[in-house]
Amino acid sequence: MNAPEPGLPMTVPAEGLPARVRIHEVGARDGLQNEKATVPTAVKAEFVRRLAGTGLTTIEATSFVHPKWVPQLADAEDLYRAVADLPVSLPVLVPNERGLDRALALGARRVAVFASATESFARANLNRTVDEALAMFEPVVRRAKAEDVHVRGYLSMCFGDPWEGAVPVPQVVRVCRALLDMGCDELSLGDTIGVATPGHVTALLTALADAGVPVGALGVHFHDTYGQALANTLAALQRGVTTVDASAGGLGGCPYAKSATGNLATEDLVWMLRGLGIDTGVDLGRLVATSVWMAAHLGRPSPSRAVRALSHQEQ
Amino acid sequence: MNAPEPGLPMTVPAEGLPARVRIHEVGARDGLQNEKATVPTAVKAEFVRRLAGTGLTTIEATSFVHPKWVPQLADAEDLYRAVADLPVSLPVLVPNERGLDRALALGARRVAVFASATESFARANLNRTVDEALAMFEPVVRRAKAEDVHVRGYLSMCFGDPWEGAVPVPQVVRVCRALLDMGCDELSLGDTIGVATPGHVTALLTALADAGVPVGALGVHFHDTYGQALANTLAALQRGVTTVDASAGGLGGCPYAKSATGNLATEDLVWMLRGLGIDTGVDLGRLVATSVWMAAHLGRPSPSRAVRALSHQEQ
């Protein structure tokens, strides 16, 4: 056990966990996309710039979705240009070929598509069946790979769905296989409504391993709606997962889950990983300062426990 | 995987976890003791009564500490009399022999003493060294056991201490052994300032097992200051712990950790345990309703994620 530095946990490693975890930071895109008031492009760019300054290496910047659907991200081109010089990976969401065209025109080297594990959410979010959505992504992935662009496949509703309830594991495995067979380099398993518990996480990861999916191709994306995100992350680490999505300050939520407290806060995650002796390269103090700065812009305190404790924000 | 009922997670058990967990509910004592405004005795009694109606079987009712130190609990006798008929265990805190006298006079069958793993906290909380505090508890425990009263030993600052930083595991093991040798039936390992991470929990529980402490004599008491409480609980369950302290609605905090969000919320815990298929006997819907009722009395929303999501409270 090492003596803690101020503002950091003691480090006591546990057996069977990875030595290093890559955090896929989603605050700038997933975190901000549902903000009602428009966040100025300059503030978003400064947010991404500060996030890069914390040591985060993968910062999802924006989405090239049609502005009609996500008005907050209508400035995708301007934002991307404003941060493209940063020495970090800046993946962007591309919903279709038109989005891919816009991303490629800006020189994006990492893109992500957004699929659903359930018919109900595919219908609600994409107005398509699951298989129709996969067919729509096929040319996107093929063209991206032809340009040697890294493709992440988001998979929503991997555990529960607000309309369908429990989501059968084999159904999730099927869509994962389809996305990988299509050419996706990496998948992000989303608990979009935050209902998963650790045994469910273990069961899905075990089933994916049994289906031949390499764990290195998997990330996890938990929401803290019921406070389960970090316990679920621990279960995922115990199954060998080394890519974890999180949102600085816990920004964001799912529009289909009214009271969702949103994404796992990057700070809460970094606290746990630092305590476990798992390297992330992230400076927690700088990250907390970034989230406090962003919270001031948004006019409300961060829901992250660690941000509140380390910044002495009142609850 | 079972289909979820409304307001409950899917049940997907994990290997190597206990079949049943006893929740030691601390909301009425630990949760309320730092409230500035006096909570009327009738409200506290109704709170305990409603908690008992959720299926909780161990509900810490109050503390027989001198009212000068904890004015909120000055009504200990009246409260205990008001709830003594309930068919649940109602442990009470007794800081010394005078407190034990008061508890025994009311017919209490379970008492708890409150020790510290660190010299700094023993000094701050009890104005004694660790060993002086243990010497003070010795006649309390001896007399309680002579009356066949069950004794719990709380142990604060088992992981970190606001003055001393990291707390060495052997130091915690030594005090645990002393409390058990004195006659305590059960210990509660407290992460009073919420700094622990899962590897640290595993390390302490492993060291206690190596020192011959039966895991059945151990409970864990985590604070969610940095969002780690539920992940730490998972680590404890994986080491065989079957007693978990929690506070309905996440009530309470540590007066020495200003921004502490306080105790692990019982609802967040029950969500995870239900998802893991671990029996607690608790009706989550009734528990959420109880916390919402209490939050209305206190005039602020519950910090529990699960309470917020299930009651559609705004954050």
Side-chain angles (χ1 to χ4, degrees):
Chain A
M1 181 162 54
N2 298 330
E5 299 168 48
L8 291 174
M10 293 73 72
T11 295
V12 189
E15 277 175 37
L17 298 186
R20 188 173 168 78
V21 158
R22 183 173 62 84
I23 297 176
H24 184 105
E25 169 60 44
V26 300
R29 195 275 304 168
D30 194 11
L32 292 181
Q33 68 181 9
N34 295 315
E35 283 295 318
K36 277 182 199 152
T38 302
V39 180
T41 308
V43 171
K44 291 178 190 166
E46 179 65 17
F47 185 39
V48 172
R49 203 164 283 280
R50 290 185 186 219
L51 290 171
T54 69
L56 286 161
T57 57
T58 308
I59 303 172
E60 198 163 292
T62 187
S63 170
F64 290 93
V65 66
H66 195 289
K68 186 169 82 177
W69 303 116
V70 187
Q72 183 64 256
L73 304 183
D75 62 354
E77 266 88 359
D78 289 343
L79 175 65
Y80 195 85
R81 283 195 197 95
V83 299
D85 64 301
L86 290 169
V88 297
S89 293
L90 294 165
V92 293
L93 212 61
V94 294
N96 49 34
E97 290 197 74
R98 172 76 191 112
L100 179 66
D101 291 338
R102 293 167 64 196
L104 294 178
L106 288 162
R109 302 304 303 154
R110 282 182 172 244
V111 298
V113 295
F114 201 89
S116 168
T118 67
E119 295 295 343
S120 302
F121 190 65
R123 181 62 62 192
N125 200 41
L126 303 167
N127 197 29
R128 282 173 170 77
T129 67
V130 167
D131 286 335
E132 285 166 359
L134 291 173
M136 176 175 73
F137 295 137
E138 197 281 329
V140 178
V141 177
R142 182 165 28 83
R143 286 184 47 208
K145 292 316 301 169
E147 306 263 357
D148 204 24
V149 165
H150 182 278
V151 182
R152 156 175 267 224
Y154 277 105
L155 195 55
S156 290
M157 307 292 174
C158 288
F159 298 92
D161 174 292
W163 300 276
E164 300 179 21
V167 179
V169 167
Q171 180 175 326
V172 182
V173 173
R174 181 184 80 85
V175 185
C176 284
R177 276 260 52 116
L179 286 166
L180 290 170
D181 291 347
M182 197 183 285
C184 284
D185 298 288
E186 170 182 299
L187 301 180
S188 170
L189 306 171
D191 180 20
T192 316
I193 57 170
V195 295
T197 47
H200 200 166
V201 173
T202 304
L204 176 57
L205 291 169
T206 303
L208 285 166
D210 291 347
V213 175
V215 71
L218 297 175
V220 288
H221 184 112
F222 294 122
H223 279 221
D224 217 14
T225 321
Y226 300 87
Q228 311 294 307
L230 210 48
N232 289 339
T233 301
L234 180 60
L237 298 174
Q238 291 173 337
R239 286 290 313 177
V241 167
T242 57
T243 298
V244 181
D245 296 5
S247 175
L251 285 174
C254 173
Y256 297 92
K258 234 175 79 178
S259 306
T261 42
N263 290 295
L264 170 60
T266 313
E267 290 84 354
D268 297 15
L269 173 64
V270 169
W271 185 278
M272 183 175 82
L273 296 177
R274 171 87 186 204
L276 288 164
I278 296 173
D279 184 24
T280 63
V282 175
D283 182 313
L284 183 58
R286 284 191 188 187
L287 184 59
V288 169
T290 299
S291 291
V292 169
W293 172 86
M294 194 67 211
H297 273 281
L298 297 176
R300 59 172 193 276
S302 162
S304 158
R305 308 282 199 209
V307 169
R308 289 178 178 189
L310 291 168
S311 67
H312 304 289
Q313 278 185 26
E314 289 303 311
Q315 204 185 341
Chain B
M1 181 161 56
N2 297 330
E5 297 169 47
L8 290 174
M10 292 73 71
T11 296
V12 188
E15 278 175 36
L17 298 185
R20 189 174 167 79
V21 158
R22 183 173 62 85
I23 298 175
H24 185 106
E25 169 61 43
V26 301
R29 195 276 302 167
D30 194 9
L32 292 181
Q33 70 181 6
N34 295 315
E35 283 295 318
K36 278 181 197 153
T38 302
V39 179
T41 308
V43 171
K44 292 178 188 166
E46 179 65 17
F47 184 39
V48 172
R49 202 165 285 278
R50 289 185 186 220
L51 290 170
T54 69
L56 286 161
T57 56
T58 309
I59 303 171
E60 199 164 292
T62 187
S63 170
F64 290 93
V65 65
H66 195 288
K68 186 170 80 177
W69 303 116
V70 188
Q72 183 64 258
L73 304 183
D75 62 354
E77 267 87 359
D78 289 342
L79 175 64
Y80 194 86
R81 283 193 198 96
V83 297
D85 64 303
L86 290 169
V88 296
S89 292
L90 294 165
V92 293
L93 212 62
V94 293
N96 49 35
E97 290 197 74
R98 172 73 190 113
L100 180 67
D101 291 338
R102 292 167 65 199
L104 293 178
L106 288 163
R109 303 303 304 153
R110 282 181 173 245
V111 299
V113 296
F114 201 89
S116 169
T118 68
E119 295 296 342
S120 302
F121 190 67
R123 180 63 61 194
N125 199 42
L126 302 166
N127 197 28
R128 283 172 168 78
T129 67
V130 167
D131 286 336
E132 285 167 359
L134 291 173
M136 175 176 74
F137 296 137
E138 196 280 329
V140 177
V141 177
R142 183 166 27 85
R143 287 183 47 209
K145 293 315 302 170
E147 305 264 355
D148 204 22
V149 165
H150 182 278
V151 182
R152 155 175 267 222
Y154 277 104
L155 195 55
S156 289
M157 306 293 174
C158 288
F159 299 91
D161 175 291
W163 302 275
E164 300 181 21
V167 179
V169 166
Q171 181 174 326
V172 182
V173 172
R174 182 184 79 83
V175 185
C176 284
R177 277 260 50 117
L179 286 166
L180 290 169
D181 291 347
M182 197 183 283
C184 284
D185 299 287
E186 168 182 300
L187 301 180
S188 170
L189 305 170
D191 180 19
T192 316
I193 58 171
V195 295
T197 46
H200 200 166
V201 173
T202 304
L204 176 56
L205 291 170
T206 303
L208 286 165
D210 291 348
V213 174
V215 71
L218 298 174
V220 287
H221 184 112
F222 294 121
H223 278 222
D224 217 14
T225 320
Y226 300 87
Q228 310 295 307
L230 210 47
N232 289 339
T233 302
L234 180 60
L237 297 175
Q238 290 173 338
R239 286 291 312 177
V241 167
T242 56
T243 298
V244 180
D245 295 6
S247 175
L251 285 174
C254 174
Y256 296 93
K258 233 176 81 177
S259 306
T261 42
N263 290 295
L264 171 60
T266 313
E267 290 85 352
D268 298 14
L269 172 64
V270 169
W271 184 279
M272 183 174 82
L273 296 176
R274 171 87 186 206
L276 288 164
I278 296 173
D279 184 24
T280 63
V282 175
D283 182 314
L284 183 56
R286 283 191 189 188
L287 184 59
V288 169
T290 298
S291 290
V292 169
W293 172 86
M294 194 67 210
H297 272 282
L298 298 175
R300 59 172 193 275
S302 161
S304 158
R305 307 283 199 209
V307 169
R308 288 178 178 190
L310 291 168
S311 68
H312 305 287
Q313 278 186 27
E314 288 305 311
Q315 202 181 345

